Amino acid sequence: SELTEIENVKGDETFTQNGDRLTWQADGNDIYYQGSCEKELPVTQKITYYLDGKEIAPEELAGKSGTVKIRFDYTNHTEEKVRINGKEETIHVPFVAVSGLVLSDQFRNIQVENGRTMTDGSKTIVVGYALPGLKESLQIDGKDFDGGIMIPDCFEVTAEVTDFSMDMTMTVVMNAAGLSVDGESGDLSSLDEMLDTLTDAVDQLGDGSSELADGMDTLQGKLGEFSNGVNSLQSGLDAYTKGASQLADGA
């Protein structure tokens, strides 16, 4: 790891460090740790606010009422050189970005693009997702897929708001490049299945909507459960990382 100030966030297991090599005394347990890093993030996000169709700074939006749109744009800064059909191409390392918001009853008529809403009657949980850089790497768009499936690179929330205020948002970015694979399918239908599964995984977050009302700590836990579901994306993502030439032919 290149992280500093490393700490175990799920248990009491300790580690020893030799340069950038960590050895954990795991005793058969899973290890979850966090730390700090000065390097540029592989994926960054930009959040833009609009009031009645016009862009507005968040500090100016506070306390105002009207139609509010919040847009999350994600940028994938990673690049890898690969050979496709004998030609060197630049592709992005695949990531899944998942963002969550907790909205109070000040927000009504909530509409979401590339996401889902869940409510317990007093608060609404909004979860959106994107796969930044994937569409550009494959040089394809939504019309290459069945059933109007898209590869989103942004997430939007629109609502009628009174006296705007919002505590916080949270975004989790998961590297999906190292997933194992069952089979060697490399056609676009495998990506259809992958995107369907990702959408289903976001839907499944609704099962815990009443618990999510307790706050963003609980939401973070639900997003952790979502990351477990990303394993089911393995077939489609492997088609991206290992079968890029076949995908290029199909596109």
Side-chain angles (χ1 to χ4, degrees):
S1 177
E2 297 179 344
L3 299 179
T4 60
E5 304 175 4
I6 293 173
E7 62 175 312
N8 187 338
V9 297
K10 285 275 190 170
D12 299 322
E13 298 85 1
T14 60
F15 69 93
T16 57
Q17 185 168 0
N18 182 11
D20 60 1
R21 183 179 181 86
L22 305 180
T23 303
W24 286 90
Q25 307 304 316
D27 297 327
N29 299 318
D30 291 338
I31 301 295
Y32 297 83
Y33 64 92
Q34 66 182 22
S36 301
C37 184
E38 298 301 321
K39 296 180 67 175
E40 180 185 42
L41 293 172
V43 176
T44 58
Q45 72 174 9
K46 176 185 177 183
I47 305 177
T48 309
Y49 299 85
Y50 300 85
L51 177 63
D52 295 329
K54 297 181 179 180
E55 185 174 343
I56 186 172
E59 57 270 19
E60 296 178 4
L61 179 58
K64 289 186 169 58
S65 302
T67 301
V68 173
K69 181 173 74 173
I70 307 172
R71 179 184 172 98
F72 292 72
D73 285 286
Y74 310 91
T75 302
N76 189 331
H77 299 284
T78 65
E79 290 185 348
E80 285 189 358
K81 299 290 186 181
V82 298
R83 296 195 69 81
I84 301 176
N85 293 334
K87 181 181 177 182
E88 187 176 79
E89 301 280 0
T90 299
I91 65 172
H92 294 286
V93 175
F95 286 91
V96 179
V98 183
S99 293
L101 306 82
V102 177
L103 305 180
S104 67
D105 56 8
Q106 299 164 276
F107 293 76
R108 303 177 307 280
N109 301 324
I110 299 171
Q111 300 179 11
V112 181
E113 181 177 340
N114 302 327
R116 295 290 182 271
T117 62
M118 299 147 278
T119 183
D120 70 341
S122 61
K123 293 182 180 180
T124 299
I125 313 303
V126 181
V127 178
Y129 71 94
L131 297 110
L134 180 59
K135 181 169 56 179
E136 292 78 10
S137 293
L138 296 179
Q139 300 179 11
I140 56 180
D141 57 32
K143 63 185 179 183
D144 293 304
F145 296 94
D146 297 330
I149 294 175
M150 301 295 291
I151 299 178
D153 51 18
C154 69
F155 157 52
E156 289 186 355
V157 182
T158 304
E160 300 298 323
V161 184
T162 302
D163 189 19
F164 180 91
S165 67
M166 188 168 62
D167 291 335
M168 66 177 295
T169 68
M170 178 181 296
T171 297
V172 176
V173 178
M174 293 163 284
N175 185 333
L179 299 179
S180 60
V181 63
D182 294 323
E184 298 180 353
S185 174
D187 58 18
L188 290 177
S189 63
S190 63
L191 275 176
D192 285 344
E193 180 181 355
M194 178 267 285
L195 293 171
D196 273 337
T197 307
L198 179 58
T199 303
D200 290 342
V202 173
D203 282 336
Q204 290 170 13
L205 291 173
D207 295 340
S209 59
S210 60
E211 300 173 7
L212 290 178
D214 293 336
M216 291 302 291
D217 287 340
T218 308
L219 178 58
Q220 184 178 20
K222 289 298 173 184
L223 291 177
E225 293 178 15
F226 172 85
S227 68
N228 294 332
V230 173
N231 288 329
S232 59
L233 304 182
Q234 56 190 18
S235 298
L237 287 171
D238 187 79
Y240 165 58
T241 57
K242 297 183 179 179
S245 61
Q246 296 178 36
L247 287 171
D249 292 341

Short mmCIF file of all heavy atoms in Angstrom, two decimals, residues 3-11 13 15 24 31-36:
data_model
loop_
_atom_site.label_atom_id
_atom_site.label_comp_id
_atom_site.label_asym_id
_atom_site.label_seq_id
_atom_site.Cartn_x
_atom_site.Cartn_y
_atom_site.Cartn_z
N LEU A 3 -0.50 4.02 1.15
CA LEU A 3 -1.17 4.85 2.14
C LEU A 3 -0.30 5.07 3.37
O LEU A 3 0.54 4.26 3.73
CB LEU A 3 -2.48 4.19 2.58
CG LEU A 3 -3.55 3.95 1.50
CD1 LEU A 3 -4.76 3.27 2.10
CD2 LEU A 3 -3.93 5.26 0.82
N THR A 4 -0.53 6.20 4.04
CA THR A 4 0.07 6.48 5.34
C THR A 4 -1.04 6.56 6.38
O THR A 4 -2.22 6.60 6.04
CB THR A 4 0.85 7.81 5.30
OG1 THR A 4 -0.05 8.88 4.96
CG2 THR A 4 1.98 7.74 4.27
N GLU A 5 -0.66 6.59 7.65
CA GLU A 5 -1.64 6.67 8.75
C GLU A 5 -2.69 5.57 8.62
O GLU A 5 -3.88 5.80 8.80
CB GLU A 5 -2.30 8.05 8.78
CG GLU A 5 -1.31 9.20 8.90
CD GLU A 5 -1.98 10.56 8.82
OE1 GLU A 5 -3.22 10.60 8.75
OE2 GLU A 5 -1.26 11.57 8.82
N ILE A 6 -2.24 4.35 8.33
CA ILE A 6 -3.15 3.23 8.12
C ILE A 6 -3.76 2.78 9.44
O ILE A 6 -3.07 2.65 10.45
CB ILE A 6 -2.41 2.06 7.45
CG1 ILE A 6 -2.00 2.46 6.03
CG2 ILE A 6 -3.26 0.80 7.42
CD1 ILE A 6 -1.12 1.44 5.33
N GLU A 7 -5.06 2.53 9.45
CA GLU A 7 -5.73 2.02 10.63
C GLU A 7 -6.77 0.97 10.24
O GLU A 7 -7.39 1.06 9.19
CB GLU A 7 -6.39 3.14 11.42
CG GLU A 7 -7.47 3.89 10.68
CD GLU A 7 -8.17 4.92 11.55
OE1 GLU A 7 -8.56 4.57 12.68
OE2 GLU A 7 -8.33 6.07 11.10
N ASN A 8 -6.94 0.00 11.08
CA ASN A 8 -7.93 -1.06 10.91
C ASN A 8 -9.29 -0.49 11.32
O ASN A 8 -9.45 -0.01 12.44
CB ASN A 8 -7.56 -2.26 11.79
CG ASN A 8 -8.43 -3.46 11.55
OD1 ASN A 8 -9.54 -3.36 11.05
ND2 ASN A 8 -7.93 -4.63 11.92
N VAL A 9 -10.27 -0.55 10.43
CA VAL A 9 -11.56 0.07 10.72
C VAL A 9 -12.64 -0.95 11.09
O VAL A 9 -13.76 -0.57 11.41
CB VAL A 9 -12.05 0.92 9.53
CG1 VAL A 9 -11.10 2.06 9.26
CG2 VAL A 9 -12.22 0.06 8.27
N LYS A 10 -12.32 -2.25 11.07
CA LYS A 10 -13.33 -3.27 11.34
C LYS A 10 -12.95 -4.23 12.45
O LYS A 10 -13.73 -5.10 12.80
CB LYS A 10 -13.61 -4.08 10.06
CG LYS A 10 -14.43 -3.34 9.02
CD LYS A 10 -15.92 -3.48 9.27
CE LYS A 10 -16.71 -2.95 8.10
NZ LYS A 10 -18.14 -3.28 8.18
N GLY A 11 -11.75 -4.11 13.00
CA GLY A 11 -11.34 -5.08 14.02
C GLY A 11 -10.09 -4.61 14.73
O GLY A 11 -9.65 -3.45 14.61
N GLU A 13 -7.11 -6.50 14.54
CA GLU A 13 -5.93 -7.14 13.97
C GLU A 13 -4.86 -6.09 13.66
O GLU A 13 -5.17 -4.95 13.29
CB GLU A 13 -6.30 -7.89 12.68
CG GLU A 13 -7.30 -9.02 12.88
CD GLU A 13 -8.74 -8.55 12.88
OE1 GLU A 13 -8.96 -7.34 12.69
OE2 GLU A 13 -9.64 -9.40 13.05
N PHE A 15 -0.78 -5.10 11.93
CA PHE A 15 0.05 -5.40 10.76
C PHE A 15 1.48 -4.93 11.00
O PHE A 15 1.75 -4.10 11.87
CB PHE A 15 -0.51 -4.71 9.51
CG PHE A 15 -0.39 -3.21 9.51
CD1 PHE A 15 0.70 -2.58 8.93
CD2 PHE A 15 -1.37 -2.42 10.09
CE1 PHE A 15 0.82 -1.20 8.93
CE2 PHE A 15 -1.27 -1.03 10.09
CZ PHE A 15 -0.17 -0.41 9.51
N TRP A 24 -0.64 -8.45 7.43
CA TRP A 24 -1.66 -8.41 8.48
C TRP A 24 -1.72 -9.74 9.22
O TRP A 24 -1.65 -10.81 8.62
CB TRP A 24 -3.04 -8.13 7.87
CG TRP A 24 -3.21 -6.70 7.43
CD1 TRP A 24 -2.93 -6.18 6.21
CD2 TRP A 24 -3.70 -5.62 8.21
NE1 TRP A 24 -3.23 -4.84 6.18
CE2 TRP A 24 -3.70 -4.46 7.39
CE3 TRP A 24 -4.15 -5.52 9.55
CZ2 TRP A 24 -4.13 -3.22 7.86
CZ3 TRP A 24 -4.58 -4.29 9.99
CH2 TRP A 24 -4.56 -3.16 9.16
N ILE A 31 -9.97 -8.15 6.40
CA ILE A 31 -9.36 -6.92 6.89
C ILE A 31 -9.89 -5.74 6.09
O ILE A 31 -9.87 -5.76 4.86
CB ILE A 31 -7.82 -6.98 6.77
CG1 ILE A 31 -7.26 -8.16 7.58
CG2 ILE A 31 -7.20 -5.66 7.23
CD1 ILE A 31 -7.46 -8.05 9.08
N TYR A 32 -10.35 -4.71 6.79
CA TYR A 32 -10.78 -3.46 6.18
C TYR A 32 -9.95 -2.34 6.80
O TYR A 32 -9.99 -2.15 8.02
CB TYR A 32 -12.26 -3.19 6.42
CG TYR A 32 -13.19 -4.22 5.81
CD1 TYR A 32 -13.46 -5.42 6.47
CD2 TYR A 32 -13.79 -4.01 4.57
CE1 TYR A 32 -14.30 -6.37 5.91
CE2 TYR A 32 -14.64 -4.95 4.01
CZ TYR A 32 -14.89 -6.13 4.68
OH TYR A 32 -15.73 -7.07 4.14
N TYR A 33 -9.18 -1.64 5.98
CA TYR A 33 -8.36 -0.58 6.56
C TYR A 33 -8.44 0.68 5.69
O TYR A 33 -8.85 0.63 4.53
CB TYR A 33 -6.90 -1.03 6.71
CG TYR A 33 -6.17 -1.35 5.42
CD1 TYR A 33 -5.44 -0.37 4.76
CD2 TYR A 33 -6.17 -2.64 4.90
CE1 TYR A 33 -4.74 -0.66 3.60
CE2 TYR A 33 -5.48 -2.94 3.75
CZ TYR A 33 -4.77 -1.95 3.08
OH TYR A 33 -4.08 -2.25 1.93
N GLN A 34 -8.06 1.80 6.29
CA GLN A 34 -8.07 3.07 5.59
C GLN A 34 -6.79 3.83 5.91
O GLN A 34 -6.08 3.51 6.85
CB GLN A 34 -9.29 3.91 5.97
CG GLN A 34 -9.27 4.38 7.43
CD GLN A 34 -10.53 5.16 7.79
OE1 GLN A 34 -11.56 5.05 7.14
NE2 GLN A 34 -10.43 5.96 8.83
N GLY A 35 -6.51 4.84 5.09
CA GLY A 35 -5.32 5.65 5.30
C GLY A 35 -5.39 6.89 4.44
O GLY A 35 -6.41 7.20 3.83
N SER A 36 -4.26 7.59 4.37
CA SER A 36 -4.18 8.84 3.62
C SER A 36 -3.21 8.70 2.45
O SER A 36 -2.27 7.91 2.50
CB SER A 36 -3.70 9.99 4.53
OG SER A 36 -4.57 10.16 5.62
#
